[in-house]
Amino acid sequence: MRKVSFPYMGTSYIPFNKLLTALGNEVVLPPRPNAETISLGCKFAPEFACYPFKIVLGTYVQVLEAGADTLVSTGGVGPCRAGLYTTLQEKILKDLGYDFEMITLEPPGRHLKDLIESIKKLVNTRLSFRDYINIGRFVWKQLTLLDKAERLSHKVRPLEVKKGETTRIYKKCVDLVADAQNMTELSEVEREIELLYEGIDKKDFDPVKIGIVGEIYVLLEPSANLEIEETLGELGVYVERSMFLAGYTVSNAVMDLFHMAGERDIKKLALPYFKEMCGGHGRESVGNAVHFAKRGFDGLIQLSPFTCIPEIVAKSILPRVCEERGMGFLAITLDEQTGKEGVRTRLEAFVDLLAAKRKKAKLMQKSQLAKEMS
Amino acid sequence: MKIGIPRALAYYAYYPFIKTFFEKLGLEVVVSDETTKEIMDKGVEDAITDACVPVKLFHGHVKNIKDRVDYVFVPRLVSVNNEATFCPKFLGLPDMLECSVTDFKNMLEVRIDLKKKRLRLFMLCMSVARKFKKGFFTAYNAYFKALYSFKNYAHQFLQGGIPPLGIVAQRKNSPIRLGVVGYPYMLYDPFLSLDLIKKLINMGVYVVTPEMVPEKDKLKQAKKLKKTLFWTFSNSVVRTAYHFFEKRCVDGIIHITAFGCGPDFIVDKLMELEAKSRNMPYLTITLDEQTGQEGLNTRLEAFVDMLKIKRTKKEAALA
Ligand code: SF4
Ligand code: SF4
């Protein structure tokens, strides 16, 4: 039996695990990126590799050590490096003497045949057409539920009375989703998630709102972004992220298949500032920034891995976007040297600034109202 | 009407075309000064800190020229063939400039995307000509003159010259042949590359750069990689290196890369691994705005000496 493993990103390992097991593989679960992962990654990756590259490489070393013989990863087509990850990682790992097969899932639009070939390699059991449908439905449901649990946690965390409760509940929800065995159980879990969040004691106030944009991996993997959402939530901030797992899967796979440009309006929003698709998620970052501003967010945080090309381009544009629209802006660059405490201090200062700005705006409004009345 | 061309990035790859075209259109062409410390500093001032050196330098050249001309030509180089685009920073260059250089109002942005369309370049030139209210025949003439001048330029490279550095020919009987690979705007900017190529030539080395390897030899190497890289210049660099590996027509390879360059970490590692397995001496030199002459000289000398010793040993073994 194939022993399959894959990169760790957020909670995506849950549906991935289900999917690969259902297709008849043994899965070696990747560990959550930890200090060891990062130090392995840094040791074997070129110095200027972007942070996600290092983390993923470190993960690969760990799972290969744990006995995996097949690595699955998504390719993605340029113009950014993400799509080239695997080519280079494979070479580096082989050079280190590991023996394995690398299966890259290319987006279906351009390489449909390759994709089918790759998938065939991963199907190692007899399945009827019905089975496929069922597996597909189940995994999709898991994805959406995981996203839902996360969205709710963002909403509730700033309002929680007891610190840390939301995080605890969120973890519980993730476990529930992971443990569900069939569709009926998943539907039950869905209700339970809602109930759990409702059960949290909440304060009643209007929190400062911050939108987060940036490169997908550091956005979706909390250990790469030093749990920024948790930190912000506990500072009493409502956080919204521009990308979620399910959304990402859709735009990457389905849209690509039909050659639809995903997230059309987001791109349109970016147009006045950013006229070219430049790979990665640079343009989405700008478009989402405009979108957040339109919805009245107080601030914007951009997360980018060190030396990330598209985000560097975005970074030179974002300050202007935010200034024009009266939104605070903070850019955080992440790599193995970024410390959680340092980031925390910067976040605190940023949140204070936004809160002060808000107060000032309110006062202005009041005095204006008073003037008009008199 | 004066049109300014910043002496950076795309300039080094395509300037004969750009320059001839505008000149034949009847415009006065002003190229920004050769890179100096001052221009570099100006660029560093305005560009965002984590940009790579060549992009910062472009900012500097724009500032150097923008007040002296009516328009500054800023290409948005998207693609010149069907297989790849340029580095994302080329794609977003005008957008970055607009935001970083605050008082830059006279940008002539031209989007160059030649993918999948023949005659695209011709059409593009026509539309640029129209902007300046030039007639069809002037433009037609300018286009062909430009093309001719570019072909001539490419040809000079194949003859062993390096026109942007004013090198017409190299001594064929140099004891050492060295592949020097890197992007044109790194190799051919004497300030940025610390005049590395000339230094090597003075050490008695015959230098071969990617531009000096015929296009069809590079294409032959394309299949060697599982996946084509996404970036035109990177493809050219990697393929040149693979060509050297296969034909063994050089004694060693030097890769010149910029500090903070995104694509190069892949390019460099790919070549390094391949060089290792093929037993080819390989040296990476990373340049930034502060690289010192001294350190570089010693490293180059050591590398060349090593190659010379290797060579004598080999010859002794053969004799
Ligand atoms: S988007 Fe950024 S982090 Fe992702 S592969 Fe590209 S450069 Fe690396
Ligand atoms: S290829 Fe490298 S050096 Fe060239 S613009 Fe892109 S990041 Fe900069």
Side-chain angles (χ1 to χ4, degrees), chain A residues 50-53 80-83 85 215-217 279-281 305-311, chain B residues 265:
Chain A
C50 44
Y51 194 39
F53 183 96
C80 192
R81 294 183 274 186
Y85 267 19
E215 192 272 340
I216 175 118
Y217 190 89
H281 299 90
F306 182 59
T307 75
C308 172
I309 334 173
E311 295 301 329
Chain B
F265 95 76

Side-chain angles (χ1 to χ4, degrees), chain A residues 307 309, chain B residues 9 51-55 86-90 183 185-186 231 233-234 257-264:
Chain A
T307 75
I309 334 173
Chain B
L9 296 180
C52 58
V53 186
V55 163
F86 284 85
C87 161
K89 286 183 198 158
F90 275 80
Y183 304 134
Y185 46 88
M186 299 289 303
W231 315 287
F233 287 142
S234 309
T257 159
F259 183 81
C261 171
D264 265 1

Side-chain angles (χ1 to χ4, degrees), chain A residues 259-275:
Chain A
H259 293 278
M260 285 195 279
E263 303 190 38
R264 271 247 166 79
D265 5 322
I266 291 299
K267 280 181 186 151
K268 219 186 255 155
L269 287 176
L271 213 58
Y273 305 97
F274 211 146
K275 299 188 195 79

Side-chain angles (χ1 to χ4, degrees), chain A residues 44-50 53 75-88 90-92 95 102 104 106 111 272-279 304 306-313 315-318 320 333, chain B residues 48-52 76 78 83 85-100 109 111 113 224-231 242 258-270 273-274 276 286:
Chain A
F44 299 127
E47 190 189 341
F48 292 115
C50 44
F53 183 96
V77 251
C80 192
R81 294 183 274 186
L84 297 167
Y85 267 19
T86 44
T87 315
L88 184 58
E90 186 179 350
K91 283 194 188 238
I92 293 179
D95 186 59
M102 183 75 114
T104 313
E106 307 282 354
H111 308 271
Y273 305 97
F274 211 146
K275 299 188 195 79
E276 198 67 48
M277 145 97 199
C278 85
S304 63
F306 182 59
T307 75
C308 172
I309 334 173
E311 295 301 329
I312 288 181
V313 179
K315 200 188 282 178
S316 60
I317 298 168
L318 283 173
R320 200 179 99 189
T333 311
Chain B
I48 59 163
T49 36
D50 18 13
C52 58
R76 187 195 289 278
V78 182
E83 57 169 14
T85 62
F86 284 85
C87 161
K89 286 183 198 158
F90 275 80
L91 270 60
L93 189 63
D95 302 322
M96 288 171 91
L97 282 166
E98 205 165 32
C99 293
S100 303
E109 179 194 325
R111 183 173 186 276
D113 183 1
K224 297 263 166 67
L225 275 176
K226 240 198 202 164
K227 212 166 164 184
T228 359
L229 301 182
F230 303 145
W231 315 287
Y242 273 52
F259 183 81
C261 171
D264 265 1
F265 95 76
I266 292 195
V267 172
D268 187 58
K269 193 76 190 179
L270 281 175
L273 287 173
E274 193 70 17
K276 193 168 139 196
T286 309

Side-chain angles (χ1 to χ4, degrees), chain A residues 358-372:
Chain A
R358 216 189 220 200
K359 234 187 223 156
K360 211 166 121 197
K362 271 219 184 98
L363 276 179
M364 291 264 280
Q365 242 175 11
K366 247 190 216 157
S367 64
Q368 208 147 42
L369 263 181
K371 241 187 238 161
E372 271 166 28

